[in-house]
Amino acid sequence: MLRLAVGTVQKVLEKQAGMQILEVRTESVAGCKLQRVLSFLQEDYKSGDLLLINTTAVHLELGTGGYHFVVGKVNQPEETDVLPNEWGHVMKMRYSPWQLAVDSVEEQASPYHDLFVQEDLSLEGTPVLIGELHSLLPVAVLALRKKNPNVRIVYVMPDGASLPIALSQHVQQLKATGSLAATVTTGHAWGGDRESLTIHSGLLAARHVEQADIIICMLGPGVAGTGTSYGFSGVQLAEVIHAVSTLGGTPFFIPRISFGDHRARHYCISHHTISIVNRFTLCPVLVTIPIFGDERDEILSRQMKTLEGAGKHIFIKGKVPDLSELASLEKGYGLSFSTMGRNWQEDPAPFQTAWMAADFVGNSLGYIVQTVNDAPHSPASSSTLEGLGLYLTRNEVRP
């Protein structure tokens, strides 16, 4: 399905970096005359402009994707570049009507091309915090910044969910407050401070072009699922873990944990996490497991037997923060914390888990600096991650 309609601009409701929200009157969309429409194009709109808009998501009553989107102006008088770039010839969303050229860091005309020609380029041990839910990004970033105020955090966005990074209010807010130093969009995702053709180049760009001390790699907003163990956006994170490991980074994985989601497959440890960790991830990864200090730990312990049976990953347990910590982070952030339609008061576990994972990452920096010089280009081995896991858990139980 691809539903298109023509609408007339009434006014610009909001304008921010990379995105505009328009009020548009449509005649062909039944039941509603005035629509909220998103545009990612760098052009000016005025009342009376005729637009071709994509109405598919609203027709399907989707959640995160429940907006119309501007395809372009109907009466454009001449050929116009509505997303200008500098040197790029790499196309994203290739061979679709929306294909666009971006300034990819790897390509021949890029000033960074010589960097990516190096065959031994590595992440040099850089910790990479990997997670499925974009809604947990602000908690992870803010927790890291609170404990490590001088670290440079770079967000790498794969293309398993939304493609335009401008759709993320969290990224815009974290950039505006200086909590995120930079962003990199990989694959067919676009609109970051840096563009890359692959997740591998994107991670390396975060480290060597943007000088990241810590990399966070989470899917963008709007993940998809099918109620199966094969068809969900998070499967892509197995590839991210493999890339981090083979490039000599230190992979940390945030499990998807909820006690507010009443769907059996997502209650406590989500079947998404079980599939990623047990079946699809072939390289060892540090999986951060929360300790709640109540009856939830027993439920989690029973499910953990399913994960630990794989025998190839390192599980590190840490105490979750008090709810007052989440309240404090949210108050200073400026936007609310919510995931899957629930705020942190209704379902604190996902946010506590993300905070705890970020805390482990922050605590790992000194250890990694001391040990990475021995093998800066080597893949992350089980023994290396086990050593880090022991270091982190020993520090966790110290008074």
Side-chain angles (χ1 to χ4, degrees):
M1 178 189 293
L2 174 59
R3 296 176 68 92
L4 300 175
V6 174
T8 306
V9 175
Q10 304 301 296
K11 59 184 175 181
V12 178
L13 298 174
E14 187 177 335
K15 192 170 185 177
Q16 52 192 257
M19 186 177 74
Q20 299 180 65
I21 302 177
L22 314 175
E23 183 178 77
V24 175
R25 180 179 296 278
T26 59
E27 302 300 334
S28 59
V29 180
C32 186
K33 294 295 184 182
L34 291 178
Q35 311 285 332
R36 288 167 64 87
V37 180
L38 299 187
S39 174
F40 301 109
L41 308 178
Q42 295 180 23
E43 58 181 349
D44 295 324
Y45 298 99
K46 64 181 184 299
S47 178
D49 283 344
L50 281 180
L51 304 179
L52 181 63
I53 58 176
N54 183 325
T55 63
T56 311
V58 173
H59 179 80
L60 292 174
E61 299 181 348
L62 298 181
T64 305
Y67 288 92
H68 297 320
F69 294 89
V70 174
V71 178
K73 290 183 179 179
V74 173
N75 297 322
Q76 190 71 260
E78 58 185 24
E79 186 177 24
T80 304
D81 187 355
V82 295
L83 284 170
N85 64 326
E86 294 183 47
W87 66 78
H89 289 78
V90 167
M91 306 296 286
K92 295 202 172 184
M93 297 186 287
R94 288 185 287 280
Y95 299 101
S96 75
W98 246 78
Q99 67 175 348
L100 69 154
V102 300
D103 296 326
S104 177
V105 290
E106 316 99 318
E107 63 181 298
Q108 288 87 340
S110 166
Y112 308 105
H113 177 69
D114 289 346
L115 175 69
F116 291 92
V117 170
Q118 300 176 37
E119 294 292 336
D120 63 347
L121 196 61
S122 91
L123 290 174
E124 301 172 339
T126 305
V128 182
L129 183 57
I130 301 162
E132 180 182 359
L133 297 178
H134 189 79
S135 50
L136 303 184
L137 177 65
V139 170
V141 171
L142 296 172
L144 282 167
R145 293 285 297 179
K146 185 173 181 179
K147 201 165 187 178
N148 306 270
N150 297 319
V151 297
R152 190 169 171 83
I153 304 171
V154 177
Y155 171 56
V156 173
M157 190 172 109
D159 59 6
S162 63
L163 298 183
I165 198 172
L167 187 64
S168 171
Q169 290 182 317
H170 288 314
V171 167
Q172 292 182 26
Q173 183 75 355
L174 292 167
K175 286 286 298 294
T177 59
S179 299
L180 273 180
T183 60
V184 183
T185 38
T186 72
H188 286 284
W190 57 275
D193 297 310
R194 306 294 179 187
E195 304 276 6
S196 73
L197 194 60
T198 67
I199 186 65
H200 302 74
S201 296
L203 292 165
L204 291 169
R207 173 59 178 167
H208 295 282
V209 177
E210 291 296 343
Q211 305 299 310
D213 299 305
I214 296 171
I215 298 169
I216 296 185
C217 185
M218 292 183 180
L219 297 172
V223 295
T226 61
T228 72
S229 297
Y230 307 98
F232 65 98
S233 300
V235 167
Q236 188 186 37
L237 299 183
E239 179 190 359
V240 174
I241 294 170
H242 299 159
V244 173
S245 179
T246 55
L247 290 171
T250 306
F252 288 79
F253 185 72
I254 306 173
R256 180 172 170 177
I257 294 176
S258 169
F259 292 91
D261 196 322
H262 298 295
R263 294 173 294 177
R265 66 184 184 274
H266 288 303
Y267 188 77
C268 194
I269 303 176
S270 169
H271 77 114
H272 287 185
T273 290
I274 294 171
S275 295
I276 293 168
V277 173
N278 273 9
R279 187 165 188 183
F280 301 125
T281 301
L282 306 179
C283 300
V285 61
L286 285 158
V287 184
T288 57
I289 302 297
I291 299 172
F292 295 100
D294 55 33
E295 67 278 359
R296 290 175 293 180
D297 291 340
E298 178 58 31
I299 302 172
L300 190 55
S301 179
R302 290 197 296 269
Q303 277 195 309
M304 278 293 296
K305 294 176 182 177
T306 304
L307 290 177
E308 291 171 337
K312 55 193 170 188
H313 305 301
I314 294 85
F315 297 90
I316 51 176
K317 295 184 177 181
K319 296 177 182 177
V320 299
D322 188 81
L323 296 184
S324 62
E325 176 67 15
L326 296 181
S328 175
L329 288 182
E330 184 184 61
K331 183 178 180 181
Y333 178 47
L335 296 178
S336 60
F337 297 156
S338 65
T339 186
M340 307 304 293
R342 298 178 296 274
N343 62 37
W344 67 265
Q345 293 94 337
E346 296 170 302
D347 192 9
F351 303 98
Q352 291 174 304
T353 301
W355 184 100
M356 180 269 307
D359 194 55
F360 273 135
V361 170
N363 291 339
S364 72
L365 291 173
Y367 180 92
I368 290 172
V369 169
Q370 291 175 3
T371 58
V372 74
N373 290 333
D374 295 334
H377 307 298
S378 299
S381 66
S382 292
S383 59
T384 301
L385 296 183
E386 284 174 4
L388 176 55
L390 285 173
Y391 168 81
L392 291 172
T393 50
R394 284 172 182 165
N395 283 326
E396 174 73 20
V397 298
R398 287 179 182 174

